[in-house]
Amino acid sequence: MADNWQKHDMSFLDGRRLRRTRQTAWSRAMVRETLLTPSDLIWPLFVIEGHNEKTGIRTMPGVERLSIDLCVEAAKAARDAGIPALALFPNTPDHLRSENGVEAFNPDNLMCRALSAIKSAVPEIGLIADVALDEYSSDGQDGLVRDGEILNDETVDVMVRSALVQTKAGADIIAPSDMMDGRVAAIRAALDAEGHDQTQIMSYAAKYASFFYGPFREAVGTGARLKGDKRTYQMDYANSDEAMREIAQDIEEGADSVMVKPGMPYLDIVRRTGDTFNIPVYAYQVSGEYAMIEMAAAAGAIDRKGSILESLYAFKRAGANGVLTYFALEVARELGK
Ligand code: PBG
């Protein structure tokens, strides 16, 4: 009650009132510690065959898979909004998926055609190519499978070939997302041997076996085929020291930057990575995080725009150099206003 409040002795504050700097918008702007700009945002795109084709994704309201021509338009929009790079993911047609994932290194595959079309139409934007077998294999695993086992070294060989065709097609950054051991060194050596010494490697270094990837698997068409889980290669969500070992090793193998994934539930890992290593660190606000915000906002539970910005600022506050986010275009446009 305002009229019978108890007056307390506040002398212990000794003049220190932390609310003082929060009183006005100009003052809040002055003391703001982190900034979010369009150059912090990397936009993932899902690519499909066809022309002028877009298809919705039930669990990712607001995101659509795009045919290559529409990806080119999206790339122009991204460039105009100040987004530095796109991350591409193909939804490979079913008949091209196989047990050995050979489509991954077909130089004319959907991914390579998308990379080269975007590179020639919008050379100013960086292109990040995901390297993993799940987008090409019939079982949805990121590696080759024999008798239920995910084969490490054989998978690395396919990944190296995949990285090479992607680089030749126009990828600027190779982003291995499979968590096989030794793939960064193998890809680096192969790229250098073929004269691609300026092609970067952004390693999905600390990637957890997460339940937040569900909508992505719908988007690239692997969800229904995936048998079992990915726990023999993606990390246990209970671990943090292990993430530091993964990152240290990938840096030693030649990674130019590292990624932590998922994002929001793993901000402690982002922070620890930044505190421990001198290397750019990116966080991936994954599909399940996107879906949570969109669906909660649609249900009227949270303010959509406010919670999107808050989530992205949290990544910057935790020390991320940038964020892969499905909100990238909308937010970059908003920030540029
Ligand atoms: C797999 C890959 C995944 C994502 C990016 N690359 C899924 C998985 O590991 O199962 C997830 C991204 C997201 O959920 O938004 N190569």
Side-chain angles (χ1 to χ4, degrees), residues 130 132 134 177 207 213 216-217 230 234 261 286-287 326:
D130 191 79
D134 57 330
S177 71
K207 177 171 178 181
Y213 305 148
F216 173 96
R217 293 177 187 168
K230 301 192 175 184
Q234 298 179 351
K261 179 181 174 197
V286 300
S287 56
Y326 301 99

Side-chain angles (χ1 to χ4, degrees), residues 42 83-87 118-119 122-128 170-173:
I42 295 168
I83 290 174
L86 303 173
I118 300 172
K119 184 86 303 187
V122 196
E124 309 85 1
I125 205 158
L127 294 181
I128 303 174
D172 302 291
I173 303 182

Side-chain angles (χ1 to χ4, degrees), residues 176 179 183 203-207 235 243 246-247 250 258-260:
M179 293 295 283
R183 87 278 204 229
S203 170
Y204 284 70
K207 177 171 178 181
M235 287 179 41
E246 280 284 359
I247 290 167
D250 283 3
V258 294
M259 200 194 300
V260 172

